[in-house]
Amino acid sequence: MQPGFVTADDVTAPGGREAGGEREERVVIALLVVACEVAFWVLLAAGLALRYVARKPKLGAAVLLCEPLLEVVLLVVTAIDLRSGAEPDWKHGLAAVYIGFTVGLGHHTIKKVDAWVAHRWFGGPPPVRPPKYGTARAIHEWRTAARWILAAVVALALLQAAVWYVGPDGAISSLRSWQQKMGLVIGINLIIAGGYTVFPKQVPKDAVTDREPADRL
């Protein structure tokens, strides 16, 4: 009787190679989301440095315009991953949410950081502070809510597209969970903005304030 030798190649790990491949794909998606977030701030810093330090505003603007490419890359890789048969999980939903929040809040974030950098180090005018009282505060809150709602709606649309893409027989519970969270974001912002409209914050009697402009979209 000939002895048999079992090698590593003869042993199939739980889930097989396909399970290992799926784990690697999930890791890639998670790392890509993190990389896009880091790259957003890196490009923002590079664009501002070119604009103010190197005195090359056109080149700095060109770098800042590269920001949307991050979302395109993230969207394409996520779609390819789903197309290859990967089961949707929280990382695919997070990718959709990241894209939505960049669409809704990215431009405003860049403008706010740009104004702060210009004032802090390059003698620019101080950034406009948000109003505190009355109708101006209510308008500010509605504009803020509009940005967050836009972000949530874009994320909801991408999540729903992923649900349709996967089909009713696929694992879509994680995508539905993210949709519920986006609905909660919309509701919270409507409540906050509505509260400042129905119950406006009144100017203290002893306060002396100038007219406070609400910030723009």
Side-chain angles (χ1 to χ4, degrees), residues 4-6 25 37 70 83 96 98 101 110 121-122 130 175:
F5 295 93
V6 179
E25 289 172 353
E37 177 65 22
L70 299 174
R83 183 69 175 180
Y98 174 80
F101 277 67
I110 291 173
W121 285 294
F122 301 99
L175 301 176

Side-chain angles (χ1 to χ4, degrees), residues 29 91 130:
I29 292 295
K91 302 175 189 68

Side-chain angles (χ1 to χ4, degrees), residues 58-83:
K58 291 184 179 180
L59 183 58
V63 171
L64 293 176
L65 288 175
C66 292
E67 298 281 7
L69 295 178
L70 299 174
E71 284 67 63
V72 175
V73 171
L74 183 59
L75 181 60
V76 169
V77 172
T78 302
I80 292 174
D81 191 40
L82 291 173
R83 183 69 175 180

Side-chain angles (χ1 to χ4, degrees), residues 168-200:
D169 297 331
I172 58 176
S173 60
S174 63
L175 301 176
R176 292 298 190 194
S177 176
W178 276 112
Q179 286 183 319
Q180 293 173 1
K181 291 180 176 65
M182 294 302 97
L184 186 62
V185 169
I186 292 174
I188 290 174
N189 278 276
L190 288 175
I191 291 172
I192 293 174
Y196 276 98
T197 302
V198 178
F199 306 104

